[in-house]
Amino acid sequence: MAYEGVCNYCHSEYDWSVAKGNSSIMYVQMGEETDSAYQVIFRSYTGAFVNFYVNKTSGTTRMEEYVPTLDVKSEAGTIDIFDYLKKEN
């Protein structure tokens, strides 16, 4: 569910049209798992990464952006991952 929610968020918030010809420049993948959170990683076509830390219990998701070329990390906000999961009827 963490991967699905982050993937849905990224597809709604970022322009994926630049990756149509080269899907390796933008992607979402699972990262590490701890007792309390899942890490999901988004790579932008700019080379920046956004790490999503999804709390296993609450769904609260902290985002941290990392720009490797500048070696800069910054907090990028929070979302509720459940807002980005498809509702089943």
Side-chain angles (χ1 to χ4, degrees):
M1 286 182 13
Y3 176 83
E4 178 186 351
V6 170
C7 195
N8 290 341
Y9 172 83
C10 291
H11 276 86
S12 71
E13 295 297 317
Y14 301 105
D15 178 12
W16 286 72
S17 64
V18 295
K20 285 187 181 180
N22 184 357
S23 60
S24 66
I25 64 171
M26 281 180 82
Y27 57 82
V28 176
Q29 69 182 27
M30 288 300 295
E32 297 177 0
E33 178 181 351
T34 66
D35 290 341
S36 61
Y38 296 107
Q39 178 190 30
V40 184
I41 304 161
F42 166 70
R43 184 197 188 275
S44 171
Y45 70 91
T46 64
F49 292 89
V50 180
N51 293 298
F52 293 82
Y53 299 96
V54 182
N55 183 289
K56 290 181 177 181
T57 305
S58 69
T60 301
T61 304
R62 181 177 62 85
M63 299 179 290
E64 180 182 88
E65 185 173 9
Y66 175 60
V67 181
T69 56
L70 302 174
D71 195 27
V72 174
K73 284 185 184 179
S74 61
E75 291 297 319
T78 60
I79 60 171
D80 184 340
I81 201 69
F82 294 115
D83 291 341
Y84 295 92
L85 293 174
K86 295 178 182 167
K87 309 276 190 268
E88 292 190 26
N89 295 329

